[in-house]
Amino acid sequence: MATIPASIHIDPVRIIGQVDPRIYSGFTEHMGRCIYGGLYDPNNKHGLSDPKTGFRLDVLDVLKELNIPLVRYPGGNFVSSYRWQDGVGPRELRPRRPELAWLSEESNQFGTGTHPFGCIVDCPFLSPLRILGTEPCICLNMGTGTLEDALAWVEYCNGSANTYYANLRRTNGHDAPYGVKYWSLGNEVWGPWQIGQMEAQDYANNAYQWAKALRLLDPNIQLVSCGETGYTDWDRVILRKLAPVVDFHSVHSMSCRGCVPHYGPSTAAAAEKALDITRSLIDLSKIESGLNKALTVCFDEWNVWDPVRAPGDKGAEEHYDLSDALAVASWLNVFVRQADIVKIACIAQSVNVISPIITSPEGLFRQTTFYPLKLFSTFMRGASLDIHVQSPSYQGPTVPPFIQHLTLHTPDSARLTKFVDVSAVLACTTPPEIRVAIVNRSENNAFSAHFAFGPNAEVTSSVKVYEVWSADLKDRNGFGKDEEKIKAVEKEEKWDGKQGYLLKSHSFQSEFLF
Ligand code: AHR
């Protein structure tokens, strides 16, 4: 198959914004085997868990490779009927409860609470995160939960005075406050599946009162409003009311495996357009309220998920293939390109449930999607650079309906659906390095990419490349011999920047150009 010409213009002077490391964040929900049997497995018979804490040490080691700065917890849908008080104090006294989001039972053995015997590392939720150097972001229950419960949770985690919940934390063995900075005001409150679903204005009014009270209790916390997809009327109404009292607006969106070939220009492209709209809605809300403050996007659920193939109430264990890995790389390209507005993004989720790693009692394997995530989190940090790409654009059924309306009529819909999808950063190394992440989203065509750079950049005679590729888009990893069927392959390639650079069909490459 002949290669098709493409061009990639990168000017190191045109900086979009700093890539916030928090765009490489994770999410652990009480759902399926994410926590129980994933992160936390005290009865593991193969010696994989820490005997004191019950944490799966192999899981923590692999999560460390992803260098995750922040983890959202405890849901998701789960949180909308969660009583955090059940998860603290002596384990043998913790109640089992019906779990209504995924129709299971919650043992409450894992929570914000403490180990009864006072180990050093004894907070089941907060400790593994702190072991990983990760900040927690707690989502509050705005379904069955009250403002009083929410205030009590913040006091339990952050209180330093001689007050009831701060003292309860001390009784449970933690003198020092946990210092949880990020708190979300509910999860997907707009959704019919949510316990406590609300109309936009009702949620906005309610969340406004919560925000005021929570900030009175702890002025150092940062709050996240519950947005929808970033471009809906819900987002507009919520931002208009909550802009003065929150720091982030949350957005959720998933590439649906069954709906479209996800390596193609699918939901990530629609999310990018949605983010353009969210940016404007945020601006509008700030203008209307006369606000001069930082208010950015917390994209706290994104990934590939087909709930028909991997239903939530069955644990949502998607087994990802190469095409999913390419979709994940496209998502991450979006977050780097939108660095000025997206400051937090959490892949949903981090262990077993629609996750880059799958565990069994005997071990774990890294899914295909693990590799783009690791490459981005390791290398794509620094200043996001403006780029211009010329390549054929995709037009057809895999363009999601939301941007289909725009296709052919606006220039930027073509920008969103290019086969060659690129982001670039200027890394703070000495000397500074330009690093580029490129997805070739064409199933069958290779491209020969010509690069053009600004005047101060010089290509060295070779480039370091990390490639995620296989001849078959359906290839995936598994336990045993297939553990590393798909992985990131490191290469050093001779190239002086003058001739075309080969982009294999359906490939992801992360490379260092200077
Ligand atoms: O990540 C799985 C679920 O997807 C979350 O619980 C919910 O918030 C979203 O709909």
Side-chain angles (χ1 to χ4, degrees):
M1 183 81 51
T3 57
I4 298 175
S7 69
I8 300 172
H9 293 240
I10 303 172
D11 185 344
V13 175
R14 294 173 58 123
I15 290 174
I16 297 172
Q18 288 300 312
V19 174
D20 195 310
R22 294 172 299 180
I23 66 170
Y24 305 124
S25 294
F27 174 30
T28 52
E29 175 166 1
H30 285 242
M31 175 180 176
R33 295 192 309 127
C34 178
I35 305 271
Y36 300 111
L39 193 58
Y40 179 70
D41 191 9
N43 301 320
N44 184 275
K45 303 217 165 34
H46 301 271
L48 294 175
S49 296
D50 182 297
K52 267 201 218 160
T53 63
F55 308 141
R56 274 282 293 261
L57 296 172
D58 55 339
V59 172
L60 293 184
D61 279 347
V62 174
L63 291 179
K64 268 185 213 153
E65 285 179 42
L66 293 176
N67 206 354
I68 302 170
L70 176 147
V71 170
R72 184 170 182 249
Y73 175 84
N77 297 342
F78 168 79
V79 81
S80 298
S81 61
Y82 179 54
R83 293 163 49 106
W84 71 267
Q85 297 91 334
D86 291 345
V88 301
R91 283 214 170 82
E92 65 279 12
L93 299 181
R94 296 187 193 174
R96 282 184 77 81
R97 303 265 185 204
E99 192 288 297
L100 301 183
W102 308 110
L103 301 181
S104 63
E105 288 173 18
E106 175 54 52
S107 69
N108 284 305
Q109 293 302 293
F110 191 101
T112 326
T114 56
H115 192 287
F117 307 113
C119 313
I120 299 168
V121 179
D122 60 355
C123 173
F125 164 51
L126 295 169
S127 293
L129 303 182
R130 293 281 155 81
I131 292 167
L132 296 172
T134 299
E135 288 253 21
C137 173
I138 293 185
C139 186
L140 294 164
N141 173 0
M142 288 195 74
T144 61
T146 62
L147 173 55
E148 202 174 354
D149 293 326
L151 287 164
W153 205 354
V154 173
E155 184 195 328
Y156 186 87
C157 289
N158 295 352
S160 55
N162 180 19
T163 55
Y164 178 79
Y165 284 104
N167 285 335
L168 182 61
R169 184 196 66 236
R170 293 184 185 103
T171 307
N172 287 335
H174 297 268
D175 276 347
Y178 297 124
V180 178
K181 182 166 157 195
Y182 303 98
W183 296 84
S184 298
L185 297 162
N187 176 72
E188 296 183 355
V189 181
W190 43 271
W193 53 87
Q194 208 65 224
I195 293 163
Q197 181 194 3
M198 286 183 225
E199 297 295 320
Q201 199 59 56
D202 294 340
Y203 167 77
N205 294 342
N206 205 19
Y208 187 87
Q209 298 307 325
W210 280 43
K212 264 191 336 195
L214 293 163
R215 282 192 190 286
L216 286 173
L217 181 65
D218 184 347
N220 297 318
I221 57 176
Q222 302 224 323
L223 293 174
V224 185
S225 55
C226 172
E228 192 180 352
T229 48
Y231 65 88
T232 64
D233 199 48
W234 173 280
D235 294 288
R236 188 186 60 79
V237 170
I238 274 41
L239 276 165
R240 175 171 277 173
K241 176 79 183 181
L242 294 186
V245 292
V246 296
D247 305 283
F248 300 93
H249 182 66
S250 126
V251 172
H252 289 182
S253 174
M254 294 268 170
S255 299
C256 175
R257 282 177 58 103
C259 314
V260 293
H262 23 292
Y263 56 85
S266 57
T267 320
E272 185 151 28
K273 184 65 192 168
L275 284 167
D276 290 342
I277 296 171
T278 321
R279 182 189 287 98
S280 301
L281 291 177
I282 287 176
D283 282 349
L284 187 62
S285 67
K286 292 204 307 197
I287 291 165
E288 285 175 347
S289 313
L291 289 171
N292 179 13
K293 64 180 267 193
L295 175 52
T296 53
V297 169
C298 170
F299 211 120
D300 50 17
E301 286 193 37
W302 68 272
N303 201 350
V304 179
W305 183 21
D306 179 354
V308 175
R309 283 167 65 132
D313 56 4
K314 304 237 163 15
E317 297 201 15
E318 283 271 15
H319 195 172
Y320 292 122
D321 60 19
L322 173 61
S323 62
D324 300 311
L326 300 184
V328 162
S330 290
W331 272 104
L332 292 165
N333 270 345
V334 170
F335 298 139
V336 172
R337 286 195 294 261
Q338 300 278 337
D340 60 323
I341 192 71
V342 181
K343 297 296 176 187
I344 301 178
C346 308
I347 190 166
Q349 300 188 1
S350 296
V351 187
N352 286 328
V353 176
I354 41 174
S355 154
I357 60 174
I358 294 279
T359 69
S360 76
E362 292 91 27
L364 59 80
F365 72 88
R366 294 163 182 78
Q367 297 234 54
T368 57
T369 53
F370 179 89
Y371 294 97
L373 203 56
K374 178 174 173 178
L375 290 171
F376 269 86
S377 176
T378 309
F379 299 123
M380 297 300 279
R381 293 175 184 238
S384 169
L385 298 178
D386 202 4
I387 45 178
H388 180 70
V389 176
Q390 277 181 304
S391 98
S393 288
Y394 179 87
Q395 275 161 18
T398 68
V399 175
F402 161 53
I403 54 172
Q404 237 163 39
H405 295 107
L406 308 171
T407 319
L408 301 176
H409 302 297
T410 55
D412 72 339
S413 57
R415 163 175 74 86
L416 299 170
T417 57
K418 280 174 185 158
F419 279 121
V420 177
D421 186 57
V422 185
S423 70
V425 296
L426 186 64
C428 302
T429 46
T430 321
E433 251 169 12
I434 292 184
R435 299 172 180 175
V436 186
I438 309 175
V439 186
N440 177 356
R441 304 193 280 202
S442 169
E443 181 167 0
N444 300 313
N445 292 314
F447 287 88
S448 172
H450 282 268
F451 283 78
F453 304 102
N456 300 324
E458 266 176 36
V459 180
T460 50
S461 56
S462 68
V463 282
K464 189 186 271 186
V465 182
Y466 296 85
E467 184 183 81
V468 180
W469 182 81
S470 167
D472 190 343
L473 265 167
K474 296 200 168 52
D475 274 350
R476 52 194 200 172
N477 297 339
F479 288 107
K481 69 174 177 33
D482 289 338
E483 206 174 309
E484 292 200 329
K485 202 165 183 176
I486 303 282
K487 61 181 177 183
V489 176
E490 183 179 345
K491 310 188 272 188
E492 193 86 26
E493 299 214 328
K494 293 248 167 296
W495 185 62
D496 62 6
K498 300 205 172 66
Q499 68 277 51
Y501 189 87
L502 179 70
L503 305 175
K504 286 180 190 162
S505 58
H506 61 262
S507 64
F508 168 61
Q509 312 194 358
S510 163
E511 38 221 320
F512 294 47
L513 293 179
F514 307 103

